[in-house]
Amino acid sequence: MLKARLAAVAFVALACGPALRAAEPAASPEFFENKVRPVLIEHCFKCHGDSKGKEPKGGLRLDSRAALLKGGDNGPALVVGAPDKSKIIEAVRYQNADMQMPPKGKLSDAVIANLTAWVKAGAVWPGEAAGPAIGIAAFDLAKRKREHWAWRPVRAPDVPSVRDASWPASAVDRFILAKLEANKLRPALPAERRVWIRRVTFDLIGLPPTPAEIDAYLADTSVDAERTVVERLLASPHFGERWARHWLDLVRYAETRGHEFDPLIPNAYQYRDYVIRGLNADVPYDRFVQEQIAGDLLPKPRLHPKDGFNESVLGTGFWFLNEEVHSPVDIRQDQADRFDNRIDVLTKTFCALTVSCARCHDHKFDAISTRDYYALYGIIEGSSYRQVRFDTIEQNRRLGRELDELNAQSARASSAALRGKPLRAIPEWKVPPLPAGTEVVIDYSSCRPDQWLPDDASFGTRPRQIGDLIVEGGRVQFAERAAAVYDRLWSDAAVPPKTEADHGVLGARPRSGRSIRTPMFQVAGKLHYLVKGGGMAFAAVDGHTLVAGPLHGSLVMEFPNSTGYRWVTHDLSAYQGHHVHVEFTAGKEQEIAVAMVVQGSPAPPLPLLGKNVDADEHEVAATIERLAHGPPTTARDASIANALLEIGGSQEVKQATADYLTGRERIAKEIHKTSRLAPAAWEGSAVDERVFIRGSPKGLGEPVPRRFLEALAGNGAMTTEPGSGRLALAKTMTDREKNPFIARVMVNRVWHHLFGRGLVASVDNFGVLGEAPTHPELLDFLADRFVRDGWSTKNLIRDLVLSSTYRMSTLGDPESDKADVQNLLVHRMRIRRLEGEAIRDAMLAVSGRLDRASFGPPIPVHLTPFLEGRGKPGVSGPLDGDGRRSIYQSVRRNFLNPFFLAFDTPIPFSTVGRRQVSNVPAQALILLNDPFVQQQAALWAKDVLARPMMPPERIRSMYLTAFGRPPTNDESAACLEFIDEQAKRHGTKPDELKPWADLAHTLFNMKEFIYLD
C-alpha cells in the first residue's frame, strides 16, 4: 500500500545501518596487474624471486600464488581471504620487529592497503599457469591476435531474416529478434507511451519530461510521433550535458589534482564545455578523438561557429586531467606513474584495452607487449603542459604571419635603398668559442623548424635572423644576432578577471602567450643560457610542472633585465641523467631574447663587443651592393647597414622604415588582447623512450620507436615526422582499417548507456579478461554503419532509440524470463537506476529551481561538516549549487560531492565506462536526511501551493511532474490522507507548506523517482 510506503519514510534512517561504499574491485585481474604485481617486482623479487637459480632468502619465493601459499622457512606467507593471518601482510605492516619487509624502508600506507585488499579479496593471480610473475614463457603476439575476436577487422554482416517481420522497426531489431527466435524466445510487449517518453527523455538529456511535453507526445497519433520527440531531444542543448557526463567518466575529469593540498587544474572546465559543445554539434567521432590526442597539431583546427575561437586545441586538455603530486621525492618515478595513468586512460577510453598492464612485462593475456607500452610512453613524453590562449591563438597566428611578411618586405626595401658615406670604427658583436665538451642544446641561428616551439605568436613564426628589422631605442635597425625574441608588440595580452592560475611558483607569473620552450634533452649538469632582457627560465625535468614544494624550487630561476646578451647559469646537477626541456618566459614589460642554450662546465666566456674594425670605402660599397639584393645576412653586414641607417640614409630608406612602423601599428591594433585560458598540450620534440626493466625507470632497456600497438600498426616507427608523434597516433588510432577497436568500442558504449548493458558487458576491456559480445554480428553491423554514416553519434543514438528493441517493456514474456534470466539476449528492456547527477537534476527540475544556463566556471562545492582536509576550499558553495545542473558543479578530487558518491559516481582516477550500481543504506539515508533534498522538497511544495488548484489536482500535478504519469485512485487517496496526518503532526492546516513539503520529500524517496522503467 502506498500509505504504508509513505509512512515508512519516517523511520528509514533508524532502520538503516552505517553508510558503506561499494568496495574497490580488488578481486579483479586489473587490480593485481596495476596495484600488486609491480610492488612485488620492485620490492620483493630480488630476494624472493627466481634469481638465476639462486636459493631465495628464507626459502620463500613470492613470484607465484602457489609459492606464497607454500611459504618458506617460517611457513605459508599467504592465507587467502585473511590478511591479518598472512605473514606477507604482517611483514609489510612492520608489526613484527624480526620480520619487516622490505628491509630498506616501509612501503607507503596506500601500497600496504592495496596488498591487504588483494589478500582479503582472494589473492587473485591471473594466468598463474603461464609461469611466474616475471614474464611469460612464450609471448606469441601474432597467435594472441589471431585467436581473440576483438583484433579482427570489422566486417559488415548481412542483416538476418526473421519469421516475425512485423516486429522489427530497423535492421538492429532484426539482429535481436533473429537470436531470440533461434532460442525460441519472444520479445516483450512495447512499453506504455508514458514510460517510453520518460525513458528516452532521461536517456537523451538527463532530465524528466515536462507534463506539457508528455501531453504533446500523447496527442500526436502520427507514425512519426516518436521521431518528433527524438529530434527535439537531440537538438536540445541539454543533450550535450547529458552525454558529456558519460564522457567525463572515461577521461577521469576533475578540476583539482588531488593528493596533498588538492591544487587546481586551472580552467579545466573549458575542457568540460568543449565536450558539451562537441556532442551538441555532433562532431564526427573520429575527429573528436583526434582533437583529444592532437587537436593542437591538426592542419585545419575546428573553430567555434560564432565566436571563432579554436575548439580543437581544447580537446588536448584530455591529457592533463590526472592526479599529480606537488613535490615528489623521486621525480622520475612520479613521471612514470603520471604517464602510466595517461596510457591507461588513452587506451581504455578509445580502445577498451588494458595497455597499462604491460608496464612491467608483456601483457599476460592480450596481444600487447611491453614495447607497445613504452612506444606510447615516448609519444606522451614528447609534449608538455601549458595554459593556452585559445580565444586568440588563431587570430594571433595570422597576425604573426603578417608581421613576418611585413618584416621581409620592409627589410628588402630598406636594404635596397641604403646610401651613405664611408664608415670608420664599426664594432662587431662576437661570442668567443665555446669550451671543449660543451653540448649545444639549441642555437637559434641554426635551429630546425621542428625545434621552434613557442606557445603562441608572441615569439613570431620563426627565430629572429640577422637582417630582420627590429625596433630598438625608438628607431628601426637591422638585427645583428639570431635569437628567439619575445616581441613586446604582444605585451598587453591579458586574461579575464578570476581566471585560474597554476599552483605554486609557476602560477605567480603570467606565462601564457609569452613563453617558448626548447626541445627535450638529457641533463648533463649545469645549463647556460645566452639571453638578453629579463624573465624566467623553468626547467621541466621529467615533465614535472607542479612546482609547489621544498624539493624542486631550483627548477625555476629568474634573471634580471639587461640591455645586452650575457650567459646565465642554471645548475641542474642534481637531475643529471633526467629528461628536461626549458621554458623561457618574458618578464613584465620586458623583452627577452634567447640566443643559445648549452650545457657543460665551465660556463662559456661572456659575449663581448669585438675590437673596432675599420670599414673602408670599398667594404662599404661592396656591402651596399649586396644589400641591393636583400637584407644583411652576416653580423658584419648588419653592423655596416645599421651605421648607414644611423648617419642618415636616403628618402627611400626613411620611407621604408616609416612604412614598417606604420605596418606594425596597424597589426598591433588588430591583436586580440584578452583571452581565456585552458589546459592544453604543448608540442615538443621526438623522444624514443627506453623500456623500463620490470617497470622501474632505474633500469633501462632498449629504446622503442614511437608508434601505436604493434598488433595493429606494425613494430616500426609510426612516423618519420619530427615532434612528439601525437598527430600520427591520432590518425592511426582513428583509421578503421588499422584499428577495429575505435568504432566497436564507441558503439558499444552508446548501447550500454541506452540499454543498461553493453553488447560487450566489459565496456572498458575488450581483451581476453573482458566478456565476449552477446551479439557479435550486431556489434560489427553497428560499428560499420557508424563509420559509413560519418561517425555521427547522434545518428547512432537516433537509430537505437527508435528501434522496437528500445521500445520494449521491462516486463518480459514469462517463458523468456525463465530461459534468459540475465536478459543477455535482450528479450526485454532493463530496469535502470538513474545516476546521482540525474537524480539531483531531476529534483531541481521538478522543484522549479533548475537553472538551464549552459557552460561557465564550476559552482564551488558545498562544504558539509564532514568535508575536511588539506586543500579545503576557502569558500563553501551554495547548498543547491545555484540551481545549475550537476555537470557544472565543481569536481575537487579531495572534496567530492557526498550525494554523488552515495549513488556511485566514480572517483576520478581512471576510465570508468560502466558505473557500479549499488544498493546501500547511504542512498536511503541521503534521500531522507540530506538538506539539499529537503530544500528542494520545500521549494516544490511551495510551487505547487502557489497554483490555484484543489488538493487532488495538486497531487495529480506532482505525480505527472515526478513520474510522468497520473496517480491511481488509491495513490491519490493515500496522499490526501498523508497530508492530513502530517498537518496534525506539525500542528498546521492541510493547505500549508509543511505537509506538502513532506509529501514532496516522500515522492523523492519513491523508487519510481530514481529508476527508469
Side-chain angles (χ1 to χ4, degrees), residues 495-554:
V495 297
K498 299 182 180 180
T499 299
E500 296 171 343
D502 275 304
H503 193 62
V505 178
L506 296 179
R509 175 188 288 276
R511 302 174 65 228
S512 301
R514 54 196 304 128
S515 301
I516 191 168
R517 58 160 287 179
T518 70
M520 186 82 74
F521 60 98
Q522 196 167 33
V523 178
K526 293 181 179 180
L527 304 184
H528 310 287
Y529 312 138
L530 184 55
V531 295
K532 182 173 71 171
M536 179 182 77
F538 163 53
V541 174
D542 296 328
H544 177 63
T545 58
L546 192 60
V547 183
L551 300 181
H552 305 293
S554 63

Side-chain angles (χ1 to χ4, degrees), residues 522-758:
Q522 196 167 33
V523 178
K526 293 181 179 180
L527 304 184
H528 310 287
Y529 312 138
L530 184 55
V531 295
K532 182 173 71 171
M536 179 182 77
F538 163 53
V541 174
D542 296 328
H544 177 63
T545 58
L546 192 60
V547 183
L551 300 181
H552 305 293
S554 63
L555 299 181
V556 179
M557 71 167 295
E558 304 271 352
F559 47 91
N561 197 23
S562 69
T563 57
Y565 281 95
R566 82 280 195 198
W567 289 103
V568 295
T569 297
H570 197 171
D571 190 354
L572 296 182
S573 301
Y575 301 95
Q576 192 162 350
H578 292 250
H579 287 167
V580 67
H581 72 267
V582 182
E583 300 173 13
F584 294 96
T585 300
K588 188 176 182 181
E589 302 300 325
Q590 294 176 342
E591 179 189 76
I592 186 174
V594 183
M596 188 183 296
V597 175
V598 303
Q599 62 175 338
S601 295
L606 292 173
L608 300 171
L609 286 176
K611 294 182 179 179
N612 292 343
V613 179
D614 289 344
D616 58 24
E617 296 178 13
H618 297 291
E619 183 179 5
V620 172
T623 299
I624 291 176
E625 178 63 27
R626 288 192 293 274
L627 294 176
H629 301 285
T633 57
T634 67
R636 177 67 172 176
D637 278 0
S639 297
I640 293 174
N642 284 333
L644 291 169
L645 286 174
E646 189 171 353
I647 65 172
S650 65
Q651 186 61 36
E652 290 83 358
V653 172
K654 294 177 181 177
Q655 186 60 51
T657 56
D659 289 346
Y660 174 67
L661 290 172
T662 300
R664 281 178 60 88
E665 290 175 3
R666 175 189 63 79
I667 291 172
K669 292 177 181 178
E670 295 184 37
I671 293 174
H672 290 183
K673 302 293 186 181
T674 302
S675 175
R676 294 168 292 174
L677 304 181
W682 189 352
E683 177 67 343
S685 50
V687 179
D688 287 339
E689 187 53 84
R690 298 168 69 182
V691 170
F692 294 177
I693 305 300
R694 292 179 174 172
S696 171
K698 295 180 176 64
L700 300 179
E702 59 181 337
V704 184
R706 292 158 297 134
R707 57 168 171 76
F708 191 37
L709 305 181
E710 180 182 348
L712 299 176
N715 62 3
M718 183 172 56
T719 177
T720 58
E721 296 177 3
S724 66
R726 282 186 294 115
L727 183 58
L729 175 65
K731 291 178 178 177
T732 304
M733 284 186 67
T734 54
D735 184 338
R736 67 166 300 185
E737 297 302 323
K738 292 182 178 178
N739 183 11
F741 292 88
I742 192 74
R744 279 193 186 122
V745 168
M746 184 54 180
V747 300
N748 187 63
R749 293 194 188 283
V750 171
W751 186 280
H752 163 76
H753 290 306
L754 294 176
F755 292 94
R757 186 186 194 277

